[in-house]
Amino acid sequence: MLSSGLTLIFSMLGVLNFAHASFYMLGAYFAYALSGVVGFWAALIVAPLVVGAAGAVFERVVLRRLRARGALAELLATFGLAYIVVELVQLAWGRGPVDYGVPAAFEGVLVHLGGIAVPAYRLFLMGLACAIALLVWVAFRATRAGLILQAALSQPAMTQALGYDVPSLYTGVFACGAALAALAGAAGGNVLVTEPGMAATVGSVVFVVVVVGGLGSLGGAFIASLLIGLLQTWAVTSDATLDQWLSRGGAGDAISPLSFLSPLSHLSVAQLAPAVPYLLMVAVLLWRPRGLFGVREG
């Protein structure tokens, strides 16, 4: 959900939104605050709408005025917004984590799949993410609004001449992207820790997913997120060490291309798990600079 929202914004506005993970954090905090008043399920709907409206205001008031100055000005504006959001969250909810829990209907409920007990709420998150991905793809590819958005992406001047308000389309897309990020935070903030550092925790990984999948490709973001998730899970659960791999690669030989890794041979694959997404990104960019399914250059 995070990656699709960021991809949607980049596809239309052509700028990487550094505040995207901050919208994710706001969704988690707003859902936490609202769930105590209207309940979790209503908060799951209201929080993304509130954040989406805030995103629309930011695009209309700030980004629209900076568009004539180029993508760098827009990028710096979103970078500054990310810092402002973190400070506002700390002022409102403090620097520590908040007690945002899983809804009672899913609390402690396990579903057995193939002999493995999986928390029911995680299955709900998987289903929600797939449903959102399908909905975004259908809306972008198989509806009149989606066709107009694609026209505005490739030929904004012609689309404007046909009577469509392209700036308003940009605002709507930015709002939808922010709402998708907020939905991810509202739905996942109770599984992950809801605290002021959560945006920094997921922000870099989201950009990696978008780059690996290909800038501007919704399907690429979906495939890349699954690929990175599987690779990280494998790395975390692996008990192999680099020493075993280096010995297989002939690291003892002075002319071995793996000899330079010998000082790191004591590290396990599990210890290197956080670096897996970035190693994958480097490998993909060396092989295919536009990403796996890239349709637009950065």
Side-chain angles (χ1 to χ4, degrees):
M1 288 183 281
L2 268 169
S3 301
S4 61
L6 183 60
T7 300
L8 195 64
I9 291 174
F10 178 82
S11 297
M12 288 298 299
L13 276 69
V15 61
L16 286 174
N17 178 20
F18 275 101
H20 195 69
S22 299
F23 293 135
Y24 159 80
M25 179 173 62
L26 284 178
Y29 273 99
F30 285 166
Y32 159 72
L34 291 169
S35 61
V37 180
V38 298
F40 171 79
W41 299 109
L44 192 63
I45 298 174
V46 176
L49 293 178
V50 173
V51 176
V57 171
F58 176 73
E59 196 282 335
R60 188 177 185 87
V61 175
V62 179
L63 292 185
R64 184 177 296 187
R65 297 184 179 184
L66 295 176
R67 191 158 294 129
R69 301 185 182 183
L72 179 60
E74 295 175 308
L75 187 147
L76 291 176
T78 62
F79 192 76
L81 177 63
Y83 278 95
I84 293 173
V85 169
V86 171
E87 293 299 324
L88 291 177
V89 165
Q90 291 179 350
L91 288 173
W93 287 282
R95 296 180 180 272
V98 297
D99 186 21
Y100 182 29
V102 173
F106 290 101
E107 191 172 2
V109 179
L110 300 176
V111 178
H112 294 274
L113 297 174
I116 301 175
V118 181
Y121 190 73
R122 287 190 177 271
L123 292 177
F124 165 74
L125 288 180
M126 295 177 195
L128 178 63
C130 291
I132 292 298
L134 180 62
L135 180 63
V136 171
W137 185 87
V138 170
F140 197 66
R141 297 291 182 183
T143 65
R144 180 179 176 82
L147 294 176
I148 295 173
L149 289 176
Q150 292 183 63
L153 171 62
S154 58
Q155 298 291 337
M158 181 63 71
T159 306
Q160 184 79 26
L162 291 174
Y164 295 103
D165 189 353
V166 173
S168 295
L169 290 176
Y170 289 161
T171 302
V173 168
F174 194 91
C176 289
L180 283 174
L183 178 60
N190 46 17
V191 174
L192 306 173
V193 180
T194 301
E195 47 91 20
M198 63 188 301
T201 302
V202 304
S204 57
V205 177
V206 171
F207 279 101
V208 169
V209 169
V210 172
V211 171
V212 170
L215 296 174
S217 173
L218 291 171
F222 182 75
I223 297 298
S225 63
L226 291 178
L227 180 60
I228 290 175
L230 289 172
L231 286 176
Q232 275 199 300
T233 302
W234 166 79
V236 168
T237 57
S238 175
D239 58 357
T241 62
L242 289 183
D243 186 50
Q244 297 173 348
W245 288 4
L246 293 174
S247 60
R248 293 174 185 174
D253 190 343
I255 62 174
S256 170
L258 298 177
S259 297
F260 72 97
L261 292 177
S262 295
L264 304 177
S265 61
H266 65 283
L267 297 177
S268 66
V269 176
Q271 288 176 298
L272 295 175
V276 167
Y278 308 100
L279 294 174
L280 176 65
M281 180 179 69
V282 171
V284 169
L285 291 180
L286 287 174
W287 167 59
R288 188 177 173 84
R290 288 192 177 188
L292 296 177
F293 301 94
V295 296
R296 178 173 180 166
E297 293 184 354

